[in-house]
Amino acid sequence: MFQINENYLKLPGSYLFSTIGKKVRAYSEANPDKEVIRLGIGDVTQPLAPAIIRAMHEAVDEMGKAETFHGYAPDLGYGFLREEIAGKDYRDRGCNISADEIFISDGAKSDCGNIQEIFSADSRIAVCDPVYPVYVDSNVMAGRTGEYDEAAGVWSRVIYMPCTADNGFVPELPGERPDLIYLCNPNNPTGTTLTRDQLKVWVDYARREGAVILYDAAYEAYISQEDVPHSIYEIRGAGECAVEFRSFSKNAGFTGVRLGFTVIPKTLKCRDVAVRDLWARRHGTKFNGAPYIVQKAAMAVYSDEGKAQLKDQVAYYMNNARVIYEGLKSAGYEVYGGINAPYIWLKTPSGMSSWEFFDWLLEHAHVVGTPGSGFGPSGEGYFRLTAFGTYENTVKAMERIRKLKGSL
């Protein structure tokens, strides 16, 4: 009889957002007269910028001619895009990153989940808590996380670094030595950030301990404060200890188009083995390249016209974040985030659990958010709302929530 990977059976329930989707569908079917506003999943709502659409049309036309047709993309991605990224995302910020250290992919989520494959099966991972579920779940599937304590919501071999209001949502250096450290800055789900000085502590620690930082910078386009770095490579020494993930989903609206990239400097080594070379081997074996049309569209992100249009789009979502932040504050909630990220993190009221508040908000305001407990044990008692909805729905959702003030 064939055997299965039993690590998959250790995963508790379904993926967080699948569970939310099922609950919302059940509610909508039972209450077809209720208009549900979804501020849960971090999916964008604004259309692709005109400069990007034009670039896609041009690429489609090229694909219709034999002399400009493109088949499989190069393993690392097209040179024209990697050079643009290296120059404008990194060298312009003083980061010594070259095009051959950049790997184009179909999104940061895939890379964040797949990167663990190139590290030892017995590696210890450390995660901020709460945390984006993919970091932990992908390591569960690989058999690194030990046994799950359902009552506590923790894995026996995962090092949890609590990020709560008590410590300003800044993780403390772990008491146990990790091999792999997952950091997300700006953070998903809390919407909070690490400053340069705070991030330097982690870079220095990783270099000292011989650990690798897996740095998710998917939301860097939303950073507005000067002391928050856009890349970990702005910190001296990070090229020796960090891998960085970037996405076009949130800065350019590519959630339905799919494109991202991973940066691995050649200076990141395990003894004499370059981590970059392992990822190149894995990438070439398991990935056939992002479509030419999509990579050509991404070039428009770096054009003057594209940058201006996307700046407006980011401002649109951050205005939504302001509406949510101020709306919740005026309703008496304890609120965090929403300044350098399109996520607002709130304390659930009246001692309600995260899922109890999810059900209460859906039932009484017909608004969908994300229970904090779905992001880890320290997320219990918190709740996430996203600013990626339309402005009209965001305003409407806050009006509904304010009307419920005092009803708990």
Side-chain angles (χ1 to χ4, degrees):
M1 182 66 180
F2 67 88
Q3 302 296 311
I4 59 172
N5 180 351
E6 294 196 359
N7 292 313
Y8 278 69
L9 303 181
K10 296 179 180 180
L11 290 165
S14 60
Y15 184 58
L16 172 62
F17 296 105
S18 299
T19 301
I20 291 172
K22 291 175 184 176
K23 289 176 77 75
V24 174
R25 282 193 298 274
Y27 178 82
S28 295
E29 289 170 4
N31 301 273
D33 59 321
K34 306 297 185 186
E35 179 198 25
V36 175
I37 297 176
R38 300 169 189 265
L39 300 181
I41 192 168
D43 196 2
V44 297
T45 53
Q46 295 302 292
L48 294 172
I52 293 171
I53 291 295
R54 185 166 60 252
M56 292 183 82
H57 279 298
E58 291 172 357
V60 169
D61 288 341
E62 289 180 58
M63 295 294 280
K65 301 174 184 176
E67 59 272 22
T68 52
F69 173 79
H70 290 76
Y72 289 127
D75 286 352
L76 274 66
Y78 285 101
F80 59 76
L81 179 56
R82 290 186 290 111
E83 289 287 353
E84 197 78 351
I85 291 169
K88 295 185 177 176
D89 278 335
Y90 293 98
R91 288 196 293 270
D92 286 356
R93 292 191 178 277
C95 305
N96 185 26
I97 297 296
S98 60
D100 63 352
E101 296 171 318
I102 295 168
F103 296 80
I104 307 298
S105 71
D106 59 354
K109 179 179 180 179
S110 300
D111 288 355
C112 286
N114 293 329
I115 192 71
Q116 49 78 27
E117 292 184 19
I118 65 174
F119 297 103
S120 170
D122 60 0
S123 297
R124 290 292 302 278
I125 71 165
V127 296
C128 293
D129 175 31
V131 67
Y132 183 45
V134 170
Y135 308 155
V136 174
D137 287 358
S138 57
N139 280 282
V140 174
M141 295 170 179
R144 284 193 189 87
T145 55
E147 299 304 317
Y148 185 64
D149 182 337
E150 188 169 358
V154 299
W155 294 91
S156 62
R157 294 196 74 248
V158 173
I159 300 169
Y160 291 89
M161 303 180 294
C163 299
T164 66
D166 293 337
N167 61 7
F169 300 97
V170 177
E172 298 175 1
L173 297 177
E176 303 175 76
R177 180 196 167 279
D179 299 295
L180 307 175
I181 303 166
Y182 287 84
L183 294 179
C184 183
N185 193 41
N187 184 269
N188 177 16
T190 66
T192 56
T193 51
L194 298 177
T195 65
R196 278 185 175 78
D197 288 344
Q198 290 167 339
L199 189 55
K200 182 179 184 300
V201 170
W202 284 98
V203 170
D204 292 346
Y205 172 80
R207 294 178 70 193
R208 184 169 66 248
E209 297 295 331
V212 175
I213 296 174
L214 302 175
Y215 189 78
D216 188 347
Y219 300 93
E220 63 81 27
Y222 293 84
I223 294 171
S224 61
Q225 295 178 317
E226 287 293 326
D227 64 342
V228 179
H230 287 256
S231 168
I232 195 170
Y233 302 120
E234 294 178 41
I235 310 301
R236 185 175 180 179
E240 299 171 14
C241 66
V243 174
E244 182 166 292
F245 308 97
R246 290 281 190 100
S247 171
F248 288 92
S249 288
K250 307 301 166 58
N251 68 325
F254 276 35
T255 55
V257 178
R258 306 309 305 149
L259 199 69
F261 60 90
T262 291
V263 182
I264 307 183
K266 291 188 282 289
T267 48
L268 175 57
K269 295 183 178 181
C270 177
R271 294 182 292 275
D272 60 345
V273 177
V275 174
R276 177 215 172 271
D277 295 344
L278 299 183
W279 185 245
R281 185 67 174 87
R282 189 260 173 214
H283 207 62
T285 299
K286 293 192 173 185
F287 186 63
N288 255 349
Y292 171 75
I293 294 168
V294 178
Q295 294 194 53
K296 192 71 180 290
M299 285 292 289
V301 171
Y302 298 95
S303 68
D304 291 341
E305 182 184 11
K307 284 191 287 188
Q309 291 168 359
L310 294 178
K311 183 178 179 181
D312 289 343
Q313 201 166 87
V314 167
Y316 176 93
Y317 291 129
M318 290 310 293
N319 183 55
N320 286 351
R322 179 190 59 80
V323 169
I324 297 172
Y325 187 96
E326 294 177 356
L328 292 172
K329 275 283 192 181
S330 69
Y333 288 89
E334 186 179 320
V335 192
Y336 305 93
I339 296 174
N340 295 298
Y343 293 121
I344 290 80
W345 190 243
L346 63 135
K347 188 73 176 171
T348 57
S350 305
M352 298 177 77
S353 74
S354 297
W355 279 107
E356 285 173 344
F357 186 68
F358 174 92
D359 292 334
W360 182 86
L361 198 64
L362 180 59
E363 176 66 31
H364 296 281
H366 321 309
V367 172
V368 177
T370 307
S373 59
F375 297 103
S378 292
E380 180 55 81
Y382 289 93
F383 199 77
R384 191 192 77 175
L385 291 175
T386 171
F388 285 123
T390 65
Y391 173 74
E392 294 75 15
N393 277 347
T394 301
V395 170
K396 192 183 299 184
M398 290 306 103
E399 288 173 349
R400 293 180 186 180
I401 290 173
R402 278 196 298 266
K403 286 179 181 178
L404 296 173
K405 186 177 181 180
S407 64
L408 284 169

